[in-house]
Amino acid sequence: MKHVFGLAALAAGLAIAPAQAATVSLFCSSAGAEYEMCKTAADAWAKETGNEVKINKMPAAWDEALPLYQQLLSAQSPDADVLLLDVVWIGLLQNHLLDLNEELSKEDIAAHFPSTVEAGTVNGKFVALPWYVDAGLMFYRKDLLEKYGKPVPKTWAELTETAKVIQDGERAAGAKDMWGYAWQGRSYEGLTCDAIEWIGSYNGGTIVDTSGNITIDNPQAAEALKMAAGWVDTISPPGVLNYDEEASRSTFETGNAAFLRNWSYVWGTSQGEGQPLVGKVGVTNLPVGTPEGKSSGCMGTAHLGVSKYSANKEAAVSLVKYMGGVAEQKRRAIEGAYNPTISALYEDADVLKAIPFLKDAQTAFADSASRPSAITGSSYNRVSQAFYTAVHGVLAGEAEADAALKGLAGELETIKQRGKW
């Protein structure tokens, strides 16, 4: 989640002024660049439509915004109009959000990657418009692949072999701290993302399928976890079991890893002025586990939703259409390197100039794997915690993969019965 002929049509009529001016409440991330990009878009829409926008800054840590949303929506507050949503909140908040199927044209919706539309759809209701997309990506040292005469790995087996060759070669040349592969192994949500990618690439499903069935106890999933456990202290440092995004990024960007799994922001940090890896980094979609598998980068999409209790629904929908539309997504891509959810922009020359790796990463965005947050709703946090705890046990050598997944399936069945998803 490619054609360019629809850009003009998509840009037309994005923000039609409502009959009466309104003040729309909008939640924006509080981070510097993100806040300014959001505010600039809101100001432009307000100027175009004659409305006003009241911006609410979200906490720096997005997870802290969720309780605030829940409080406002449970109280059916008319003051919360447009909400910035993490993809894993959509199932939890679905009953409080407006069905945008009734507000947007089929063309508006179809312009976005199908995977991002699916992530914003719960029980047939399209409650969250995709705003920007992220997915797990593979970063690699172009210079080291060239030095050792190796192609970009297409399978996990190829990555494992190539990482070992580079690691051994660099250590022999004096780089004693060199490792082959850095990723996120700490027992937290980031491990859920990594593990879903491994399992998906082995055709092992996504923990819980779209019908609510628990599918994690299967041979393909077990095989994927056995593969990953084999990396620890061979091509990945023992400390990887406590790595999050920043720890793994640091290992890569200091020159101590040949490969890195992370989110697209690493392109900007690794290629910043004065960084040691400028011009040496390549980006591609994640490897596959089997010939029949597909690259399964975990989706990290941000969405925009409208509260069902908004006193300004028409204006709120207009603002969401504007902010999620082609013109604004193009501006955000060029000025802020945010990956669009509109597929046509992946052939836009201005966008590709601003984000050089975007074309290569398109498969990762289009075919990204979703965490089962929509179907599990309010139970998702418990589902994810049970999953990453079980996976971490396998990676740490505390449990065998097959037994761990069987036990996990039983635990998830209990959560399902209590949560009634």
Side-chain angles (χ1 to χ4, degrees):
M1 41 172 172
K2 303 179 175 58
H3 302 289
V4 297
F5 62 84
L7 288 179
L10 286 170
L14 284 175
I16 302 172
Q20 184 175 350
T23 298
V24 177
S25 172
L26 167 68
F27 284 83
C28 292
S29 170
S30 61
E34 171 71 2
Y35 176 77
E36 289 303 322
M37 293 291 292
C38 185
K39 183 179 184 300
T40 300
D43 290 345
W45 172 83
K47 182 178 180 180
E48 183 174 322
T49 63
N51 293 305
E52 295 183 0
V53 179
K54 175 187 175 183
I55 296 181
N56 305 286
K57 284 190 176 182
M58 297 168 60
W62 276 30
D63 285 353
E64 296 176 14
L66 182 57
L68 173 61
Y69 282 0
Q70 290 174 307
Q71 181 180 357
L72 289 169
L73 295 172
S74 295
Q76 299 188 12
S77 171
D79 299 323
D81 297 312
V82 177
L83 308 176
L84 172 55
L85 303 168
D86 189 312
V87 64
V88 296
W89 300 345
I90 294 172
L92 180 61
L93 302 178
Q94 58 177 295
N95 293 329
H96 301 288
L97 301 173
L98 199 65
D99 185 357
L100 298 176
N101 277 320
E102 301 172 2
E103 310 294 338
L104 306 177
S105 70
K106 292 182 179 179
E107 290 74 20
D108 284 333
I109 297 172
H112 300 268
F113 285 130
S115 60
T116 66
V117 173
E118 180 182 346
T121 303
V122 187
N123 297 323
K125 295 181 179 180
F126 182 52
V127 297
L129 183 72
W131 194 27
Y132 61 88
V133 66
D134 212 346
L137 296 171
M138 184 64 67
F139 296 82
Y140 59 91
R141 289 282 299 277
K142 294 191 298 184
D143 57 326
L144 293 180
L145 288 181
E146 182 178 355
K147 177 179 178 179
Y148 290 92
K150 294 291 186 178
V152 177
K154 300 298 183 183
T155 67
W156 290 115
E158 290 173 0
L159 179 136
T160 302
E161 188 270 336
T162 300
K164 187 69 164 60
V165 168
I166 294 174
Q167 175 180 295
D168 291 350
E170 292 300 288
R171 287 183 178 182
K176 301 300 183 183
D177 294 328
M178 188 68 180
W179 290 92
Y181 184 34
W183 40 281
Q184 297 79 51
R186 182 161 68 85
S187 187
Y188 79 124
E189 183 69 20
L191 180 55
T192 290
C193 294
D194 284 47
I196 267 188
E197 293 167 347
W198 308 329
I199 291 169
S201 76
Y202 271 80
N203 287 326
T206 56
I207 310 174
V208 177
D209 69 18
T210 55
S211 297
N213 301 307
I214 297 165
T215 61
I216 190 59
D217 184 13
N218 65 79
Q220 295 89 343
E223 189 66 25
L225 296 189
K226 292 173 186 176
M227 168 200 68
W231 295 333
V232 180
D233 204 19
T234 56
I235 61 170
S236 301
V240 77
L241 294 177
N242 200 38
Y243 276 12
D244 58 10
E245 283 86 352
E246 286 299 277
S248 58
R249 178 177 72 86
S250 177
T251 298
F252 181 74
E253 291 184 358
T254 54
N256 291 325
F259 295 93
L260 167 71
R261 180 272 175 209
N262 216 309
W263 307 99
S264 56
Y265 81 101
V266 172
W267 173 256
T269 59
S270 67
Q271 299 306 294
E273 185 177 353
Q275 296 301 309
L277 297 185
V278 172
K280 298 179 180 180
V281 177
V283 188
T284 188
N285 51 299
L286 293 168
V288 298
T290 67
E292 310 83 40
K294 69 174 184 177
S295 179
S296 302
C298 183
M299 180 184 294
T301 320
H303 293 247
L304 296 168
V306 176
S307 168
K308 286 172 59 175
Y309 318 115
S310 169
N312 303 293
K313 289 188 179 70
E314 183 180 353
V317 169
S318 174
L319 176 58
V320 166
K321 288 180 65 176
Y322 181 91
M323 296 185 71
V326 64
E328 178 57 18
Q329 286 210 18
K330 179 173 179 176
R331 183 186 75 88
R332 288 174 59 84
I334 293 172
E335 296 182 12
Y338 290 95
N339 306 313
T341 63
I342 293 176
S343 57
L345 289 173
Y346 285 68
E347 294 186 359
D348 186 287
D350 297 329
V351 172
L352 294 176
K353 181 179 180 181
I355 313 177
F357 72 85
L358 195 60
K359 192 70 173 178
D360 293 334
Q362 186 172 357
T363 299
F365 299 145
D367 295 336
S368 53
S370 298
R371 287 163 282 177
S373 55
I375 190 65
T376 57
S378 61
S379 297
Y380 174 72
N381 287 343
R382 293 190 293 277
V383 169
S384 181
Q385 184 177 22
F387 177 65
Y388 65 65
T389 299
V391 170
H392 192 270
V394 174
L395 299 176
E398 298 167 354
E400 294 296 326
D402 299 273
L405 293 182
K406 183 176 182 179
L408 173 62
E411 185 176 356
L412 294 180
E413 189 61 47
T414 299
I415 295 172
K416 179 178 181 179
Q417 294 305 316
R418 291 175 179 171
K420 296 181 173 59
W421 75 63

